C-alpha cells in the first residue's frame, strides 16, 4: 500500500497562511509524492472558517487568540476536527504540518504573548491527530517522515 500524507497547504505553496503567503518547501521528494497523488493539501485554519489573510493568532493554554484578544478557538478546533475526519476517511496515518503554527506546530509554537518567541508545544490540529494515532512531522523532519513512510510501505507489502 502506498501511504498518502496530509500536508499543510501552505507547505505545498498555497497562500493560506495568516499573512496571505505560503511557506512552500522546495523538495524533490515531496514533489514526487505529489505527482504520485500521495499528498493531500489541507489548511485547518481556513477549513475551520477563518479568512485569508487574517490576524495572527497564538495559543494561550487551550485557547487560541488574536493579538487584539479575539478568541478564535472554535475555528481552530473545527479545523482540527475536519483534519481528523479527513485523515480517518482517507486512511491517512501520516501528516506533514507547518512548525510554529497554533494549528500545525508539532514541536514548537509561539508563546502566546505575540513576542516572536517560540516554546515547546503543539498546535490544536497536531494534538488531535496525535491523540488518534496519526504521526505528525514538521518540515524540519523530512528525512524522518520519508523513513517512516518507507517502513510503513514495506510493512504492508
Amino acid at each position: 500500500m502506498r501511504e498518502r500524507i496530509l500536508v499543510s497547504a501552505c507547505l505545498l505553496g498555497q497562500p493560506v497562511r495568516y499573512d496571505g503567503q505560503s511557506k512552500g518547501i522546495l523538495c524533490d521528494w515531496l514533489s514526487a509524492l505529489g505527482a504520485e497523488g500521495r499528498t493531500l493539501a489541507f489548511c485547518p485554519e481556513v477549513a475551520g472558517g477563518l479568512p485569508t489573510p487574517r490576524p495572527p493568532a497564538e495559543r494561550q493554554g487551550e485557547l487560541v487568540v488574536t493579538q487584539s484578544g479575539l478568541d478564535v478557538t472554535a475555528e481552530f478546533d473545527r479545523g482540527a476536527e475536519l483534519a481528523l475526519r479527513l485523515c480517518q476517511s482517507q486512511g491517512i496515518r501520516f501528516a506533514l504540518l507547518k512548525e510554529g503554527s497554533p494549528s500545525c506546530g508539532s514541536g514548537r509554537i509561539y508563546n502566546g504573548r505575540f513576542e516572536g518567541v517560540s516554546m515547546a508545544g503543539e498546535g490544536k490540529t497536531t494534538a488531535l491527530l496525535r491523540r488518534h494515532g496519526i504521526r505528525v512531522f514538521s518540515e524540519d523532519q523530512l528525512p524522518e517522515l520519508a523513513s517512516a513512510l518507507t517502513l510503513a510501505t514495506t510493512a504492508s507489502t
Side-chain angles (χ1 to χ4, degrees):
M1 177 177 129
R2 304 215 46 157
E3 295 279 344
R4 294 182 70 202
I5 62 171
L6 183 76
V7 181
S8 289
C10 66
L11 292 177
L12 292 175
Q14 296 182 17
V16 294
R17 284 173 34 95
Y18 75 92
D19 58 5
Q21 302 295 309
S22 73
K23 282 290 184 178
I25 53 176
L26 298 175
C27 168
D28 290 341
W29 174 78
L30 190 58
S31 295
L33 286 181
E36 294 171 5
R38 294 177 57 196
T39 59
L40 186 58
F42 189 82
C43 176
E45 295 170 27
V46 172
L50 294 172
T52 302
R54 57 190 167 275
E58 295 185 7
R59 283 194 73 168
Q60 294 177 351
E62 287 304 309
L63 298 179
V64 182
V65 299
T66 66
Q67 195 166 12
S68 66
L70 179 65
D71 184 346
V72 289
T73 307
E75 290 87 346
F76 276 74
D77 286 343
R78 185 178 312 116
E81 285 289 337
L82 291 170
L84 175 62
R85 281 192 226 149
L86 181 60
C87 287
Q88 290 173 330
S89 72
Q90 298 292 314
I92 293 173
R93 302 184 304 158
F94 299 92
L96 172 62
L97 302 181
K98 178 69 184 113
E99 190 66 273
S101 160
S103 288
C104 299
S106 61
R108 304 211 52 82
I109 57 172
Y110 289 99
N111 69 3
R113 294 190 290 274
F114 298 91
E115 303 167 331
V117 175
S118 67
M119 64 179 198
E122 57 189 10
K124 290 280 201 168
T125 299
T126 293
L128 184 62
L129 294 180
R130 283 180 171 161
R131 281 196 305 272
H132 288 271
I134 296 165
R135 294 185 60 192
V136 179
F137 298 83
S138 77
E139 69 275 20
D140 301 324
Q141 299 174 303
L142 291 177
E144 293 90 339
L145 173 58
S147 178
L149 284 172
T150 299
L151 289 172
T153 300
T154 302
S156 67
T157 55

